[in-house]
Amino acid sequence: MDGNGRWAEQRQLPRIFGHRQGVETVRAVVKECRALGIPHLTLYAFSSENWGRPAAEVAALMELLGLFLAQELETLITEDIRLRVIGNTALLPPEVLQVLQRTIERTAENSQLVLTLALSYGSRDEILRAVKGLAAEVQGGELAASDIDERRFSASLDTAGLPDPDLLIRTSGEMRISNFLLWQLAYAELYFTDVLWPDFSADELRRALDDFAARQRRFGLTSAQSASDS
Ligand code: IPE
Ligand code: MG
């Protein structure tokens, strides 16, 4: 979800106005995913690297996040949406962590859409935490190094239990992955749009989905092989 700052700067507004408008886009996109029956949506809301932004912007983003979670709880419950989180959440302010944990618990049984927020998330950090966990299991004699396969490794990541993404959308014209789901995106289709996140919408989402639907996914096979599969 990129481009909040530029959206605000184009209007000579402080960056936080862009983040606030970005929250409205989050609401619209979650609603559209729910309406379309998309079972998983993961939003890269705050990266490990974002901690390095000016303290006032970090504080404003954290406040916005806490507010969003508190405001959305009722909708998540009525819409049967489950909230999950990935990232090094121990770094989040305690009041944000509290409302986050409460929302996760209160929506744990919901099943129509799994909404995953990547918070204080960095893929390399996630991979290293997984590797350390597995190494500790090997060291403790609970796991044989030779038993570490792709399934086992995936299950050690923050995204354990989530399917790998089919489609990655990045807004605002940047063509980078920026340390997002590096392992999980192995076969994802990538979609880049110049639209800034605050201007992204249900219509823009459907445009991305139409583009995705027209692609042929071969997963390393030939087109004849993958055509016979589907
Ligand atoms: C993305 O918008 C939102 C967060 C990182 C929280 P940016 O804040 O990165 O917006 P630009 O890139 O400055 O336009
Ligand atoms: Mg940016």
Side-chain angles (χ1 to χ4, degrees):
M1 302 185 288
D2 204 4
N4 293 350
R6 277 162 285 168
W7 184 92
E9 280 154 23
Q10 283 173 2
R11 289 161 177 75
Q12 270 97 48
L13 293 168
R15 293 174 58 85
I16 188 66
F17 281 75
H19 296 314
R20 269 187 217 146
Q21 197 56 42
V23 173
E24 296 311 315
T25 305
V26 168
R27 289 201 173 97
V29 165
V30 170
K31 194 173 168 199
E32 187 65 9
C33 284
R34 178 68 182 78
L36 293 170
I38 290 171
H40 289 277
L41 173 67
T42 301
L43 298 172
Y44 201 1
F46 193 87
S47 74
S48 335
E49 291 73 25
N50 287 152
W51 289 116
R53 291 194 178 191
E57 183 168 341
V58 171
L61 280 167
M62 289 300 139
E63 197 189 322
L64 207 54
L65 174 62
L67 216 63
F68 169 77
L69 290 168
Q71 285 169 350
E72 281 323 277
L73 180 59
E74 222 172 276
T75 309
L76 296 177
I77 292 170
T78 53
E79 293 297 317
D80 201 11
I81 299 170
R82 177 179 178 184
L83 188 83
R84 279 191 58 159
V85 69
I86 56 172
N88 191 356
T89 51
L91 301 178
L92 295 170
E95 60 280 7
V96 172
L97 207 50
Q98 204 182 357
V99 58
L100 188 63
Q101 257 144 15
R102 201 171 80 102
T103 313
I104 289 169
E105 281 164 25
R106 296 277 309 271
T107 63
E109 303 299 320
N110 294 354
S111 59
Q112 285 301 310
L113 168 64
V114 179
L115 171 62
T116 303
L117 296 183
L119 295 174
S120 186
Y121 177 85
S123 189
R124 288 184 172 182
D125 172 67
E126 174 193 36
I127 289 170
L128 281 179
R129 284 186 284 108
V131 166
K132 283 179 191 163
L134 289 168
E137 282 182 49
V138 171
Q139 205 165 34
E142 304 142 51
L143 177 68
S146 56
D147 284 340
I148 302 174
D149 55 11
E150 290 190 12
R151 194 196 53 80
R152 183 78 194 215
F153 186 74
S154 292
S156 309
L157 295 168
D158 294 350
T159 48
L162 295 175
D164 285 345
D166 290 309
L167 172 65
L168 169 87
I169 299 174
R170 182 165 188 162
T171 56
S172 88
E174 309 293 350
M175 300 217 240
R176 290 190 286 276
I177 301 295
S178 298
N179 204 12
F180 188 54
L181 302 177
L182 298 178
W183 167 274
Q184 299 90 334
L185 288 172
Y187 283 99
E189 293 294 324
L190 310 181
Y191 179 86
F192 298 99
T193 170
D194 287 337
V195 175
L196 302 176
W197 179 252
D199 290 327
F200 199 79
S201 60
D203 280 353
E204 293 294 341
L205 176 66
R206 284 196 302 271
R207 190 163 302 165
L209 293 172
D210 285 346
D211 191 277
F212 170 78
R215 299 190 191 185
Q216 192 196 32
R217 304 182 78 197
R218 292 190 291 274
F219 300 98
L221 305 180
T222 67
S223 44
Q225 284 178 304
S226 41
S228 67
D229 282 353
S230 58

